[in-house]
Amino acid sequence: LEKYISEISENLPENIIKKYDFISRKQAFYKIHFPKNSHDTELAKQRLAYEELYAINYHTISQKHKRFDESEWKSLPIPLDAELVKEIMNRIPFELTWGQKIALFQILKDMEKNHSMQRLLEWDVGTWKTIVALIAIIHAIKQSEKLWEKIQVAIMAPTEILARQHFASTQNMLIECWLTSHLLVWSTTASQKKTIKADLKAWHVDVIIGTHALVQEDVFFSNLWFVIIDEQHRFGVKQREVLEKWWGNASERVPHNLNMTATPIPRTLALTLYGDQDLSVISEYPKWRKEIHTKVAKNDNQRQEIELFVRNQIEQGRQVFWVSPLVEESEKIDLANAISTYENLTDIYSPFRVGLIHGKMKAKEKEAVMQEFVENKIQILSSTTVIEVWVDIPNATIMCIEWAERFGLSSLHQIRGRVGRWKHQSYCYLFPTSGQPTDRLRAMEQTNNGFELSEIDLEIRGPWEVYWIRQSGLPDLKIADITDLQLVSQIREDIEEMFDKKEVWK
């Protein structure tokens, strides 16, 4: 072993070793295997933990700076106009939270630079990230029109119904600001697609909102400078790159890129997993938003009381999501669970109509059922977790989750976030399997904050199970703790400082 240790080469920059007075890598390996005392072990762990996290974070940060370098002077610097921002915000019927304002400022400052923005906007469910993106869109187009010429903006969503929701929710503001927009999705008719694509190419449309239909070879942009990808983790890397790298963009420039996700992630993991982007976080809820009342049903009597309450709410005009878990080991069991729940709900809540969505259905079938739910033709929607990321339905105020103990806390919070977004008081009821402990689920009763729950979930299950890090290529860590926020933050500061000074790690 000593022979192998003697052949170990250094893998940290010399200035880092001096800054922290680290022992050499050879010494660290020797002391971790042959410690004379606890002090030897501590010195070795400090050094080896730093280098493990350094390697991971260096890779992601270097990817970000590579994109900056590749887009240098190929992106449009758009100066921040404070008066224009105020004018746009005055059109909004509510005041932005501090979290929204800070995220907006970070985005607009990024767009002032002469390289492409690479930013991830992370938010908790119900904190209204979309309004931040909309203000940034209007500011970018108006400011570019004033200084040069109007730019085009593309927004891509993972599902057609979500794209339609974005289109509907942005129309009033866009029209008030004299901006044109189109919706391009798979169900758009052939004649409509032809017109939309012609308008894009002829520079007759300012904002295009759509799904994967935006990344087809015959879709050409005249002046695309700003790309927004919602629920970015649901798109493949290649699909995102098509828009990010200006597919068919006659300007031959690199657009600013804003990715958005509604999955609250502990800060250490967000910095590490998405280190190739700058990070903005919105965790503050609007003042008018009511907390979702959450309760775990501990026995059959409590379940019956909840079922009666749900019927009362339906009679008052409200709607209900009723979710069953995915069982990865068996799609047949998954389907049987969803169908069984659907049949039980149909019996319990007659004459109200119950709908069914599960993963074996075709996309068009799911879209059709969801549309009926949106239109209140269906009062209860029995579903698997395919609704975890879907549309806002103001009238749906109750979320019931079967076999709740099978979900992680982060997943439960995401599903709960389908309700509680508008003026009506909303409720979430968790039904664990009989005899299953409910201690972990009580965290859902105690807080509506997704970031707090993500930390609890991380502590209980570990990063591999919570965020599928192993699938993303993150190596196993032998010494370091990926949840060590202080160390991760310090390492990232060291690396960013090195890139600012144009120092390259060899």
Side-chain angles (χ1 to χ4, degrees), residues 11 20 183 187 228 243-244 270 282 297 299-300 323 357 379 381 392 423 430 434 442 463:
N11 68 347
Y20 296 105
L183 176 69
S187 65
I228 298 173
L243 270 182
E244 291 173 15
I282 303 177
N299 51 51
D300 288 341
V323 176
I357 282 184
Q379 287 71 52
L381 184 63
D392 294 342
K423 63 181 180 179
L430 308 177
S434 178
R442 289 196 182 97

Side-chain angles (χ1 to χ4, degrees), residues 1-2 11 28 48 67 76 82 88 91 93 97 104 108 111 150 208 318 324-325 330 337 357-358 389 424 428 446 449:
L1 180 60
E2 291 186 34
N11 68 347
L48 296 175
R67 291 177 186 167
L76 180 66
I88 299 170
R91 298 178 181 274
T97 64
L104 176 62
L108 297 182
M111 297 181 75
K150 265 209 262 188
I208 182 75
R318 305 283 80 80
S324 304
S330 173
N337 283 341
I357 282 184
H358 56 76
V389 178
H424 303 298
C428 177
Q446 294 165 3
N449 187 300

Side-chain angles (χ1 to χ4, degrees), residues 76-134:
L76 180 66
I78 303 176
L80 194 163
D81 185 334
E83 291 303 317
L84 176 58
V85 173
K86 289 179 183 178
E87 180 185 331
I88 299 170
M89 290 173 60
N90 286 336
R91 298 178 181 274
I92 302 171
F94 56 86
E95 184 179 355
L96 266 64
T97 64
W98 278 111
Q100 289 171 321
K101 291 177 181 177
I102 291 171
L104 176 62
F105 178 76
Q106 291 171 333
I107 292 168
L108 297 182
K109 291 300 290 183
D110 272 2
M111 297 181 75
E112 287 189 318
K113 299 171 183 175
N114 54 25
H115 58 68
S116 172
M117 171 174 63
Q118 299 293 330
R119 183 165 290 276
L120 173 66
L121 177 58
E122 182 189 5
W123 63 299
D124 200 355
V125 289
T127 53
W128 281 51
K129 73 177 184 308
T130 309
I131 194 65
V132 172
L134 182 58

Side-chain angles (χ1 to χ4, degrees), residues 189-213:
T189 65
S191 61
Q192 289 174 326
K193 286 179 180 177
K194 184 177 180 181
T195 300
I196 292 169
K197 292 172 184 178
D199 283 348
L200 272 177
K201 192 173 182 179
W203 211 337
H204 293 158
V205 60
D206 303 315
V207 181
I208 182 75
I209 301 172
T211 56
H212 302 72

Side-chain angles (χ1 to χ4, degrees), residues 120-169:
L120 173 66
L121 177 58
E122 182 189 5
W123 63 299
D124 200 355
V125 289
T127 53
W128 281 51
K129 73 177 184 308
T130 309
I131 194 65
V132 172
L134 182 58
I135 295 171
I137 289 169
I138 296 173
H139 174 271
I141 297 174
K142 287 294 185 180
Q143 185 72 327
S144 62
E145 181 181 27
K146 182 171 63 176
L147 299 175
W148 305 284
E149 55 194 11
K150 265 209 262 188
I151 68 168
Q152 291 175 307
V153 179
I155 306 173
M156 189 162 73
T159 65
E160 181 169 323
I161 199 162
L162 185 55
R164 289 185 178 279
Q165 176 179 289
H166 283 323
F167 185 75
S169 65

Side-chain angles (χ1 to χ4, degrees), residues 294-348:
T294 303
K295 182 176 178 60
V296 180
K298 300 177 182 62
N299 51 51
D300 288 341
N301 287 338
Q302 288 188 356
R303 182 183 180 109
Q304 291 174 9
E305 291 175 2
I306 291 169
E307 288 175 350
L308 288 173
F309 176 78
V310 170
R311 172 174 282 277
N312 176 266
Q313 289 293 297
I314 296 172
E315 289 172 349
Q316 294 183 36
R318 305 283 80 80
Q319 291 170 274
V320 184
F321 286 106
W322 211 294
V323 176
S324 304
L326 288 171
V327 181
E328 295 178 0
E329 292 80 9
S330 173
E331 291 185 357
K332 291 182 180 179
I333 296 176
D334 171 31
L335 186 57
N337 283 341
I339 292 175
S340 174
T341 300
Y342 165 76
E343 291 173 346
N344 289 338
L345 293 174
T346 300
D347 291 338
I348 294 171

Side-chain angles (χ1 to χ4, degrees), residues 116-305:
S116 172
M117 171 174 63
Q118 299 293 330
R119 183 165 290 276
L120 173 66
L121 177 58
E122 182 189 5
W123 63 299
D124 200 355
V125 289
T127 53
W128 281 51
K129 73 177 184 308
T130 309
I131 194 65
V132 172
L134 182 58
I135 295 171
I137 289 169
I138 296 173
H139 174 271
I141 297 174
K142 287 294 185 180
Q143 185 72 327
S144 62
E145 181 181 27
K146 182 171 63 176
L147 299 175
W148 305 284
E149 55 194 11
K150 265 209 262 188
I151 68 168
Q152 291 175 307
V153 179
I155 306 173
M156 189 162 73
T159 65
E160 181 169 323
I161 199 162
L162 185 55
R164 289 185 178 279
Q165 176 179 289
H166 283 323
F167 185 75
S169 65
T170 58
Q171 286 311 285
N172 287 341
M173 282 276 288
L174 293 177
I175 292 172
E176 284 181 16
C177 295
W178 297 91
L179 299 180
T180 59
S181 60
H182 276 318
L183 176 69
L184 182 60
V185 293
W186 293 119
S187 65
T188 305
T189 65
S191 61
Q192 289 174 326
K193 286 179 180 177
K194 184 177 180 181
T195 300
I196 292 169
K197 292 172 184 178
D199 283 348
L200 272 177
K201 192 173 182 179
W203 211 337
H204 293 158
V205 60
D206 303 315
V207 181
I208 182 75
I209 301 172
T211 56
H212 302 72
L214 293 176
V215 292
Q216 304 307 300
E217 293 187 15
D218 60 344
V219 178
F220 292 90
F221 297 91
S222 298
N223 202 31
L224 179 64
W225 293 73
F226 190 9
V227 170
I228 298 173
I229 301 178
D230 195 14
E231 300 301 338
Q232 58 94 30
H233 57 282
R234 293 180 54 124
F235 290 97
V237 173
K238 294 299 181 184
Q239 292 170 325
R240 298 200 302 269
E241 285 181 350
V242 169
L243 270 182
E244 291 173 15
K245 295 186 176 179
W246 48 269
W247 183 275
N249 186 0
S251 68
E252 297 187 356
R253 303 266 180 166
V254 181
H256 292 291
N257 180 47
L258 177 65
N259 289 323
M260 302 194 294
T261 179
T263 303
I265 303 174
R267 185 162 179 79
T268 49
L269 294 189
L271 289 172
T272 303
L273 296 178
Y274 300 105
D276 59 338
Q277 304 169 76
D278 292 307
L279 182 66
S280 291
V281 176
I282 303 177
S283 58
E284 182 183 1
Y285 296 99
K287 293 179 180 178
W288 49 264
R289 184 181 181 271
K290 298 178 181 179
E291 286 202 352
I292 301 169
H293 174 78
T294 303
K295 182 176 178 60
V296 180
K298 300 177 182 62
N299 51 51
D300 288 341
N301 287 338
Q302 288 188 356
R303 182 183 180 109
Q304 291 174 9
E305 291 175 2

